Amino acid sequence: ILLRSRTLPSGTEHTLLPFGDLRRRGAWQVHDEEIWMLVGDARFDLSEANVPEGETTIRLYGLVGDVDVVAPPSVAVRIASTAFLNDLRVPGRKEDLFLTTARWASASAEAESSTRRVSFEIGALIVDLDVKEP
């Protein structure tokens, strides 16, 4: 994990957090990022976030994690979580998925109308993914 090369273009922020929690809320700046966590919780609240025009990609890799995303209607959000076991709770759907990729997209992402887009790509052994729309 420590020697792995980055998978996003140069200039992308890289965060290594072996154990612990990652909280992004309030007026935080959304940008292309690659995050490595062995075990931990990650919360991304986009309600008040500064999301730039265009597509922003956040990649999160780890072993075991709880990922919470708050997806406001003003931002198009797409999530793909590839894991051995995905525990998925999104608006209108709850399921446990085994050896597959869980996918979810907000209504604005489906309509392709938003100019501000955030794509989450998650890869882990076990993921508890919870998406809320305020």
Side-chain angles (χ1 to χ4, degrees):
I1 289 175
L2 297 175
L3 301 175
R4 185 184 174 282
S5 63
R6 296 179 189 185
T7 58
L8 292 177
S10 67
T12 300
E13 186 173 325
H14 185 254
T15 303
L16 177 61
L17 185 64
F19 300 98
D21 297 336
L22 177 69
R23 301 279 186 252
R24 303 280 168 81
R25 60 180 171 227
W28 64 285
Q29 182 62 47
V30 179
H31 51 274
D32 288 335
E33 187 171 11
E34 184 174 280
I35 303 162
W36 284 82
M37 301 174 73
L38 293 177
V39 177
D41 299 338
R43 179 172 172 79
F44 301 93
D45 187 342
L46 300 170
S47 301
E48 299 174 25
N50 299 317
V51 181
E53 295 287 320
E55 180 86 18
T56 304
T57 302
I58 298 174
R59 291 186 176 162
L60 178 63
Y61 300 106
L63 292 178
V64 178
D66 181 14
V67 179
D68 298 330
V69 177
V70 177
S74 61
V75 179
V77 177
R78 290 188 187 277
I79 300 173
S81 175
T82 303
F84 183 74
L85 178 62
N86 273 303
D87 181 16
L88 180 68
R89 283 182 304 283
V90 298
R93 191 167 124 211
K94 180 188 181 325
E95 60 187 318
D96 293 324
L97 301 168
F98 180 69
L99 287 176
T100 189
T101 299
R103 297 184 188 280
W104 179 84
S106 64
S108 56
E110 292 294 330
E112 302 289 332
S113 60
S114 179
T115 59
R116 299 182 316 145
R117 312 176 76 70
V118 179
S119 175
F120 289 91
E121 298 175 9
I122 303 166
L125 185 63
I126 300 172
V127 175
D128 180 4
L129 177 61
D130 190 6
V131 178
K132 293 184 175 103
E133 295 178 307

